[in-house]
Amino acid sequence: RDRSPSRGLGDVYKRQLEEDAYVDISEEIKEPPIAISCGEVTMTTLKGNTTYTIPLATYGNFSFIQAPPKSMKTYFVSLLVSTYLKDSNKFSGHIKGLRDKRKVIHFDTEQGRYHAQKVFRRPVDMNAGEVDDDYHTYALRKMSYTERIDFIEYILQDKLESKNIGLVVIDGIADLVSDVNNITESSDIVQRIMKWTAEFNCHIITVIHSNFGSTKPTGHLGSFLEKKTETQISLEKNTQNKGWVTVSCKRSRSFSFDDFSFMVNEAGLPEVVNICLLYTSPSPRDGLLS
């Protein structure tokens, strides 16, 4: 978009940018509130031992899940969504949601309506069939990648009137570009996600494949996600316990959570099977993004 069609409008726009970008170093800015937590960490400080909640997701930021194909990424998304909807349930283990009655919006870009509905119903089944009117679900398979971007923005901005949006899931982000190796499109969509999280003060979780035989998320899109994300979550099949999937925090702007695993139970629902332990970290910056 051309935001500077004339010098006058350009000056107004620049002043707005300056106002939005200026940070007053004397202002007390609180940490972003947590949307989803994943255990606790105890640290030794000058005031003694202090225990902190480990954020998996905070409002105003985004995270992404990466894994090889068929690594139960969508099941893990269901686990997070169900937990956030009810703050906790019998499947969530140490993972906790801090929803405070906010809306949840779930976009599936890949599957048809039948399979997408199965995915959208799973968090409801995990919460004893309790239907939540603020859980909004959309299947975007029929749309082009540009239509998907416009539709997501329409839902966030106009349909839900930008009010009280808490968690947004985009499964998966590769369908919002024509090519994951297109530098311009990859940069643009990551910038758009950052804009949405800031504008609506929500947390966005998205999903991307890992490169074949690698631990890196696919393409230039994956590289841009790594640079800008709050939390980078990796899934891989557990080598010691058949049917388990190990969840790891590859990068975080806060404390990194310990590895844990989940499985799909006999009812076809994901559940945590071993939990993060309370641990003591020698350094508050250990494992953090620069």
Side-chain angles (χ1 to χ4, degrees):
R1 298 175 182 176
D2 182 7
R3 294 183 178 269
S4 303
S6 70
R7 179 175 177 80
L9 287 178
D11 289 343
V12 171
Y13 178 60
K14 289 173 186 176
R15 286 195 294 271
Q16 182 63 54
L17 284 179
E18 179 185 6
E19 182 178 332
D20 291 343
Y22 177 70
V23 177
D24 182 353
I25 60 174
S26 66
E27 179 186 358
E28 182 180 352
I29 302 177
K30 296 181 179 179
E31 293 185 37
I34 296 175
I36 302 174
S37 69
C38 189
E40 296 178 327
V41 56
T42 296
M43 295 183 57
T44 301
T45 69
L46 294 175
K47 297 181 180 180
N49 288 344
T50 303
T51 299
Y52 298 94
T53 300
I54 300 174
L56 185 150
T58 63
Y59 293 110
N61 286 298
F62 81 92
S63 58
F64 75 96
I65 301 163
Q66 65 167 86
K70 308 303 180 184
S71 295
M72 301 190 189
K73 296 184 293 297
T74 300
Y75 279 99
F76 184 62
V77 168
S78 296
L79 179 62
L80 295 180
V81 171
S82 73
T83 302
Y84 184 78
L85 283 169
K86 292 293 290 183
D87 294 343
S88 66
N89 56 36
K90 65 180 182 180
F91 306 96
S92 62
H94 59 297
I95 306 173
K96 307 295 181 184
L98 290 92
R99 179 185 175 190
D100 194 25
K101 299 181 180 179
R102 302 185 193 216
K103 295 181 176 69
V104 182
I105 311 170
H106 195 162
F107 300 100
D108 187 292
T109 65
E110 183 177 302
Q111 302 181 99
R113 290 175 61 84
Y114 173 79
H115 290 98
Q117 187 191 59
K118 288 183 66 176
V119 170
F120 298 148
R121 279 182 172 174
R122 191 181 295 138
V124 177
D125 292 340
M126 295 172 71
N127 289 325
E130 185 176 331
V131 177
D132 193 312
D133 290 338
D134 282 327
Y135 179 37
H136 304 269
T137 54
Y138 303 94
L140 314 186
R141 179 176 180 174
K142 291 183 178 181
M143 302 179 189
S144 69
Y145 77 94
T146 55
E147 288 173 333
R148 292 180 188 121
I149 295 170
D150 289 343
F151 180 77
I152 291 171
E153 190 155 87
Y154 158 73
I155 294 297
L156 297 178
Q157 180 69 59
D158 298 323
K159 178 68 174 179
L160 300 181
E161 300 178 343
S162 313
K163 293 179 180 177
N164 213 28
I165 298 171
L167 181 66
V168 179
V169 175
I170 303 173
D171 185 3
I173 193 172
D175 292 319
L176 303 187
V177 295
S178 65
D179 181 352
V180 294
N181 284 310
N182 185 306
I183 293 178
T184 300
E185 290 178 3
S186 296
S187 176
D188 286 350
I189 193 57
V190 173
Q191 291 293 329
R192 186 74 68 97
I193 285 176
M194 291 194 296
K195 172 181 174 291
W196 290 335
T197 57
E199 184 176 344
F200 307 124
N201 193 32
C202 63
H203 188 90
I204 294 179
I205 296 175
T206 192
V207 181
I208 191 171
H209 284 157
S210 297
N211 284 325
F212 181 76
S214 170
T215 59
K216 292 188 66 63
T218 186
H220 289 303
L221 177 57
S223 297
F224 281 113
L225 287 170
E226 284 187 312
K227 293 174 183 176
K228 304 298 185 181
T229 190
E230 175 186 36
T231 310
Q232 180 178 353
I233 302 166
S234 174
L235 306 185
E236 61 179 347
K237 293 182 179 179
N238 189 295
T239 57
Q240 296 181 331
N241 299 279
K242 185 177 180 180
W244 290 19
V245 176
T246 299
V247 183
S248 302
C249 182
K250 288 193 67 178
R251 290 179 177 84
S252 175
R253 296 194 184 277
S254 184
F255 301 107
S256 297
F257 59 79
D258 278 357
D259 292 1
F260 65 95
S261 295
F262 73 94
M263 64 175 290
V264 177
N265 64 22
E266 294 179 353
L269 302 175
E271 62 177 303
V272 173
V273 290
N274 66 326
I275 67 170
C276 297
L277 299 176
L278 189 69
Y279 67 98
T280 300
S281 171
S283 170
R285 298 297 301 173
D286 183 34
L288 305 194
L289 288 170
S290 59

